[in-house]
C-alpha cells in the first residue's frame, strides 16, 4: 500500500470506529504499516499525534451532541472512552474553552474539529538530498530513557535539557540521538543520548552501553539551525521522499540523528550552517 493511501485509510478507519477503543497497533495493522513508522509519519504529515487527533475528533463530536441532543455528560463520557464524567468534563473544558454544563445552558458555542482530508499538492522539481549506505554495527555509551509516542515530541527535548543541566554532558556530549523500538509495534520506545563507546572506558553509573545493528541506511543531510533544520527534513522524508520511494522500504525500528560538534560553528547549534544527519534503516522491496 502506498504511504499516502495508508494515511487516508487510517483516517477513514478512525472515523468508522471513533466510538470504540482504538490503538496505534489496530490502525497500523489495518493499513499494513509498522506502528513505529506509522506514528512518526502520521504526526509529520498531519501535524497532530495520533492520540491527539482521535481525542480532538471525539471532543468535537461530543460538543455537537451536547448542543443538538439530550444526551447526558455521563453518557458522553462513556461513549467517547472517558473513565468518569469528571475526566470528560476536564478534557471537554480544555478543548472547547467552556464546561459542558455551560454549553447545555445555551450560553456559548463549541469548537469544531473536522476530519482530516488529504490533498496532493504538486510542487516543481524539489530535489531531496540523501544517500543509501551500508554501515557496520556500532556501540554507543548512552543516557537512556523510555518514552511514549504520544508525549515524545515534548519530553525528548526536556530529556536533553536535563542531561546537560545534570552535568552528564561532560560524560556523553550527545553525538547521537537514537530512537529504538525493535518490535516496531509498541506504544513506547527507548531513546538514547549517545556517543561512540570505547571499550577501554569504564561505564559510569547512570549510563548504558548499546549496540546499534548493521543496516543499510538512508542518510539525509540537514543544514541549518536546530531544531528547525531537522524538523524540516523529517517532514520532507514523510511527505515527499517516502511517497515517491519505489525500491526501498523501512527495515527496522531504529532512527538515528547524528549531530556535528557545535564547537565548529560560531553560533553552535543555532548556526545557519550547522550540520546534522537523519539515518533511517531501509531494505529492498
Amino acid at each position: 500500500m502506498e504511504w499516502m493511501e495508508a494515511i487516508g485509510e487510517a483516517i477513514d478507519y478512525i472515523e468508522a470506529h471513533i466510538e470504540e477503543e482504538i490503538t496505534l497497533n489496530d490502525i497500523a495493522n489495518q493499513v499494513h504499516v509498522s506502528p513505529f513508522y506509522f506514528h512518526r509519519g502520521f504526526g509529520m504529515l498531519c501535524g497532530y499525534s495520533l492520540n491527539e487527533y482521535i481525542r480532538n475528533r471525539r471532543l468535537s463530536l461530543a460538543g455537537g451532541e451536547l448542543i443538538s441532543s439530550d444526551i447526558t455528560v455521563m453518557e458522553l463520557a462513556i461513549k467517547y472512552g472517558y473513565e468518569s464524567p469528571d475526566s470528560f468534563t476536564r478534557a471537554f473544558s480544555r478543548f472547547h474553552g467552556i464546561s459542558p454544563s455551560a454549553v447545555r445552558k445555551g450560553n456559548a458555542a463549541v469548537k469544531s474539529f473536522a476530519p482530516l482530508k488529504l490533498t496532493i499538492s504538486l510542487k516543481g522539481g524539489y530535489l531531496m538530498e540523501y544517500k543509501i549506505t551500508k554501515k557496520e554495527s556500532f556501540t554507543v555509551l548512552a543516557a537512556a530513557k523510555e518514552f511514549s509516542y504520544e508525549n515524545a515530541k515534548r519530553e525528548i527535548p526536556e530529556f536533553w535539557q536535563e542531561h546537560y543541566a545534570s552535568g552528564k554532558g561532560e560524560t556523553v556530549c550527545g553525538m547521537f540521538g537514537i530512537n529504538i523500538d525493535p518490535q516496531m509495534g509498541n506504544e513506547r520506545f527507548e531513546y538514547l543520548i549517545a556517543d561512540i563507546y570505547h571499550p577501554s572506558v569504564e561505564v559510569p553509573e547512570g549510563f548504558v552501553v548499546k549496540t546499534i545493528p548493521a543496516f543499510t541506511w538512508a542518510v539525509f543531510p540537514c543544514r541549518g539551525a536546530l531544531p528547525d533544520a531537522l524538523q524540516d527534513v523529517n517532514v520532507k522524508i514523510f511527505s515527499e521522499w517516502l511517497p515517491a520511494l519505489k525500491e526501498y522500504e523501512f527495515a527496522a525500528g531504529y532512527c538515528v540523528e547524528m549531530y556535528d560538534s557545535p564547537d565548529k560553528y560560531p553560533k553552535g547549534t543555532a548556526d545557519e550552517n550547522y550540520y546534522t544527519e537523519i539515518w533511517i534503516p531501509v531494505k529492498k522491496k
Side-chain angles (χ1 to χ4, degrees), residues 81-100:
Y82 287 85
E83 295 180 354
S84 69
D86 287 344
S87 62
F88 171 76
T89 295
R90 289 192 296 270
F92 187 98
S93 300
R94 284 194 298 268
F95 179 79
H96 291 284
I98 191 168
S99 69

Side-chain angles (χ1 to χ4, degrees), residues 189-204:
F189 66 96
E190 186 176 33
Y191 184 84
L192 310 179
I193 299 174
D195 289 343
I196 293 294
Y197 173 63
H198 300 287
S200 60
V201 177
E202 184 176 349
V203 179

